[in-house]
Amino acid sequence: MMRAYMSVFKLRISTGLQYRAAALAGIGTQFFFGFMFIMIFEAFYAHSTGQEPPMTLSQVITYTWLRQAFLALVMLWLRDNELFSLIKSGNIAYELCRPSSIYNFWYAKLLAQRLSSALLRCSPILLVTVFLPRPYRLELPPDWLTFLIFLAVLAVSMLMVVALSMLIYISVFITMSPGGSLLIFSVFGDFLAGMIVPIPLMPGWMQEIVYLLPFHWTVDFPFRVFTGDIDKPDALKGLAMQAAWLIALVAFGKFTMNRSLRRVVVQGG
């Protein structure tokens, strides 16, 4: 059974790597928004008064470039319209005939989609931003061990994002409207993950809420590990928490998927 999931994973990777023109356009867009966010943070730090900010400007700039480079891995609003179409058109019936788990099958497809998109975009962005003049430069991690821990937590965060995005597709079995689920997840999920503002820059009362939810483990945590804002012992503890959240999200996703399929109504002809 695992061979089937690996086959669809490899096929989607191969297919996704063909869209080089789209990746090139995406790189230009990500550079534009990266510089825009950096200039906003520069103005914020230049006019900040009172106590020292919890993150240095250099760390925030590095955080911003990492977010732009690995956007395809961590953004919740990346969608697969083919899966939405299967649910809305009634072709989900063909998926139910497969001798495999729909959850695992779709999970492999979504994981490959994100990974192929990131492979085309992350390297050029990282390569260029490392050589930018200060203060716009992406600063490298303090040591190799920090970098290796970052790779581990980034991999788990990607798996968590796919597990969270699976909940969007599962919800469409009930609502039959992808727009609403995407809007809610993209607006609240991205904000709570630290896609707009790093969590340490949020008010204290808001941080307490954010740290109770799984979203910050997908963006804020791995990128702050890279910058050195989170030290190695805390990063390793966080990696264990990420793994626990991943198991819980996958278990919840499979449970809700099974419940939804028991009462699914096939739309269309």
Side-chain angles (χ1 to χ4, degrees):
M1 189 65 68
M2 185 60 65
R3 184 179 300 176
Y5 305 136
M6 287 301 300
S7 296
V8 71
F9 178 81
K10 293 177 182 178
L11 180 62
R12 289 300 291 256
I13 285 280
S14 177
T15 303
L17 292 176
Q18 306 305 312
Y19 295 96
R20 297 182 181 88
L24 185 61
I27 290 171
T29 303
Q30 284 159 237
F31 269 117
F32 172 80
F33 280 101
F35 279 114
M36 184 185 71
F37 276 108
I38 287 171
M39 287 186 285
I40 292 172
F41 284 123
E42 272 190 304
F44 172 79
Y45 272 75
H47 295 86
S48 62
T49 58
Q51 62 183 10
E52 191 74 15
M55 293 178 67
T56 66
L57 179 60
S58 176
Q59 288 176 328
V60 172
I61 290 173
T62 297
Y63 182 108
T64 301
W65 286 128
L66 290 172
R67 182 184 63 199
Q68 297 304 111
F70 297 107
L71 187 65
L73 296 185
V74 297
M75 61 181 178
L76 281 172
W77 43 269
L78 182 68
R79 61 184 182 270
D80 188 329
N81 289 323
E82 180 185 349
L83 298 187
F84 287 135
S85 178
L86 285 174
I87 299 171
K88 294 177 63 179
S89 67
N91 288 331
I92 185 65
Y94 296 108
E95 296 287 287
L96 294 173
C97 295
R98 296 182 187 275
S100 59
S101 166
I102 291 184
Y103 185 94
N104 295 342
F105 194 78
W106 287 8
Y107 191 101
K109 292 175 69 175
L110 295 175
L111 181 61
Q113 178 192 28
R114 290 180 178 275
L115 194 56
S116 62
S117 182
L119 288 173
L120 289 172
R121 304 183 186 202
C122 68
S123 296
I125 295 175
L126 294 175
L127 185 62
V128 171
T129 54
V130 164
F131 293 102
L132 289 175
R134 287 189 172 91
Y136 303 106
R137 180 182 303 174
L138 181 146
E139 299 292 345
L140 297 176
D143 52 62
W144 277 102
L145 182 56
T146 299
F147 179 69
L148 292 176
I149 296 174
F150 163 73
L151 292 180
V153 299
L154 181 65
V156 180
S157 73
M158 176 182 63
L159 297 176
M160 285 186 63
V161 170
V162 177
L164 286 167
S165 65
M166 279 293 297
L167 299 178
I168 300 176
Y169 298 95
I170 295 170
S171 70
V172 178
F173 281 109
I174 302 171
T175 64
M176 298 303 297
S177 174
S181 298
L182 279 170
L183 181 63
I184 293 174
F185 269 80
S186 62
V187 172
F188 290 99
D190 283 356
F191 179 78
L192 295 172
M195 285 286 285
I196 311 300
V197 180
I199 307 301
L201 300 184
M202 294 181 179
W205 63 268
M206 187 175 293
Q207 292 184 39
E208 293 180 4
I209 297 173
V210 170
Y211 287 136
L212 293 175
L213 302 172
F215 300 99
H216 75 98
W217 296 111
T218 63
V219 177
D220 182 80
F221 174 68
F223 296 162
R224 284 170 58 205
V225 169
F226 185 98
T227 64
D229 186 59
I230 297 177
D231 58 27
K232 287 185 279 292
D234 288 338
L236 292 174
K237 293 178 183 176
L239 179 59
M241 286 297 298
Q242 276 187 308
W245 270 110
L246 174 61
I247 294 171
L249 288 170
V250 170
F252 179 71
K254 288 188 174 184
F255 171 77
T256 52
M257 173 71 86
N258 291 333
R259 291 291 298 270
S260 298
L261 292 177
R262 289 175 188 173
R263 295 177 293 181
V264 66
V265 176
V266 177
Q267 305 290 329

